[in-house]
Amino acid sequence: MSLTVEPAKPRIGGIIRVDKNHLLDDETIETVRRELEQRGVLVFPELNASDELQLAFTDRLGDRVNFTRKVPGSDSETPDVYKITLDRKLNTEPDYVLGTFFWHVDGITIDQPLPKATVLSARKLSASGGATEFANLYAAYDLLPEAEKRELENLRVIHTVEAAVRPVHGTPSAERIERYRNLAAVMEQPLVWTHEDGRKSLLLGTHADGIVGMPGAHGRALLTRLQQWAAQPDLVYTHNWTEGDLVIWNNQGVMHRVVPYTDEGRIMHRTTIAGKEKPGHVASDQELERIYQMA
Ligand SMILES: [Fe+2]
């Protein structure tokens, strides 16, 4: 079997070339596990995997999970394959897809272990836009000055779906807010996540809506600065898709977003591998207290 891995950029990204008949081999799976920790995001160029092969690959890496079953796009044919599209025939409610234009970590506002990895394959692409950007949150922590690491060490962050879709809607209607509350939880997560293996990463994204104990503006300003830090060019890999590409990323150490696209033709098939570590918990009213105050 021929299996090659080459770095995409020094601090993030890897390209794996392997025949799809060998995608499920032990050697491939071990390589993917190892490189996901080191490189954050791995690309299999033009693999042209079927849904069945993508699901089998997902199952070889862990337990499959679908945290968006209640969201349009999860159809009955292949319930664990989520179709990411703006096509109104397939997706009547594009909020979530439009929300992916902004940096995020998948599944961070669900009360469950944070999904370990996401697998995405390109079925149809739009004429313009649609590249996916990945930022390495382990490296973003490692490169911080030591004094700043100490200042951030014990901070806790509130993550909400409302914050994730605020750039989509501006101020959502009361009815929408109610719907979001039924779909997801208001989660409190560490800003610096110490993983079970001892490595540390930042946990950031547009869904981060404030820091526990800080007035809203103070917390959001710090989160904005850190998000900009984490998205510095050396820490970001941009994937310009070709149809048939399959990409997997370490959702526990990478945030991602898509370059906006308007063409309704783009369809991506997503599967998700469950995580085992749960760094956060549902936020209490007390933890939310200062975040929605001005000062
Ligand atoms: Fe995503």
Side-chain angles (χ1 to χ4, degrees):
M1 170 176 89
S2 143
L3 171 72
T4 63
V5 187
E6 59 185 272
K9 289 179 76 172
R11 293 192 189 275
I12 185 167
I15 314 293
I16 297 194
R17 291 182 200 280
V18 65
D19 188 289
K20 72 175 161 187
N21 294 322
H22 293 291
L23 185 67
L24 306 178
D25 289 5
D26 289 348
E27 186 186 344
T28 309
I29 297 299
E30 279 162 30
T31 302
V32 168
R33 283 212 178 98
R34 185 184 66 238
E35 296 294 328
L36 265 185
E37 297 306 316
Q38 299 306 316
R39 310 228 49 88
V41 51
L42 304 172
V43 177
F44 295 79
E46 296 180 75
L47 192 72
N48 290 304
S50 62
D51 280 349
E52 291 68 30
L53 182 58
Q54 184 170 336
L55 282 168
F57 178 61
T58 303
D59 291 344
R60 285 285 273 119
L61 288 162
D63 297 326
R64 69 168 89 154
V65 63
N66 183 354
F67 59 87
T68 42
R69 270 182 195 269
K70 297 182 199 165
V71 176
S74 293
D75 66 33
S76 51
E77 265 168 70
T78 43
D80 293 325
V81 180
Y82 177 64
K83 318 291 189 301
I84 300 178
T85 182
L86 288 172
D87 186 334
R88 290 292 184 145
K89 293 190 292 298
L90 297 171
N91 183 357
T92 53
E93 180 105 28
D95 311 33
Y96 273 85
V97 177
L98 294 170
T100 67
F101 291 0
F102 306 92
W103 289 115
H104 66 283
V105 169
D106 288 339
I108 197 167
T109 56
I110 312 284
D111 184 21
Q112 66 179 25
L114 199 68
K116 173 61 192 170
T118 306
V119 184
L120 203 57
S121 58
R123 299 310 172 98
K124 272 193 222 157
L125 296 172
S126 51
S128 63
T132 307
E133 299 173 307
F134 301 90
N136 186 338
L137 295 173
Y138 281 112
Y141 174 80
D142 290 342
L143 294 173
L144 283 170
E146 292 303 317
E148 197 169 347
K149 284 181 185 170
R150 283 193 293 277
E151 281 169 26
L152 303 181
E153 183 71 37
N154 295 314
L155 296 181
R156 311 284 303 182
V157 179
I158 299 300
H159 296 259
T160 71
V161 176
E162 283 160 67
V165 296
R166 202 174 285 139
V168 175
H169 290 293
T171 307
S173 65
E175 180 263 332
R176 269 190 201 281
I177 289 175
E178 186 58 31
R179 196 142 30 99
Y180 296 143
R181 287 192 179 152
N182 289 328
L183 287 172
V186 172
M187 294 295 289
E188 192 215 278
Q189 308 275 5
L191 176 58
V192 177
W193 178 8
T194 305
H195 300 248
E196 276 175 16
D197 64 4
R199 293 175 77 201
K200 292 183 180 191
S201 65
L202 296 177
L203 255 183
L204 294 168
T206 309
H207 31 66
D209 204 22
I211 296 181
V212 174
M214 285 190 196
H218 292 66
R220 287 185 201 105
L222 177 54
L223 291 165
T224 300
R225 296 165 92 92
L226 288 171
Q227 184 167 291
Q228 287 167 345
W229 166 262
Q232 59 184 285
D234 283 353
L235 305 191
V236 173
Y237 167 69
T238 301
H239 186 61
N240 292 297
W241 294 89
T242 298
E243 269 179 24
D245 286 354
L246 182 141
V247 170
I248 180 168
W249 65 91
N250 179 353
N251 186 61
Q252 296 182 340
V254 164
M255 64 176 180
H256 61 286
R257 69 178 177 184
V258 65
V259 174
Y261 54 94
T262 52
D263 185 353
E264 297 200 337
R266 188 181 191 269
I267 302 180
M268 312 296 276
H269 284 196
R270 183 186 75 191
T271 52
T272 307
I273 297 153
K276 293 192 167 67
E277 296 181 51
K278 186 168 185 278
H281 59 80
V282 175
S284 67
D285 289 347
Q286 198 188 359
E287 287 161 339
L288 298 176
E289 213 171 289
R290 293 200 73 193
I291 288 176
Y292 298 101
Q293 292 171 4
M294 299 245 299

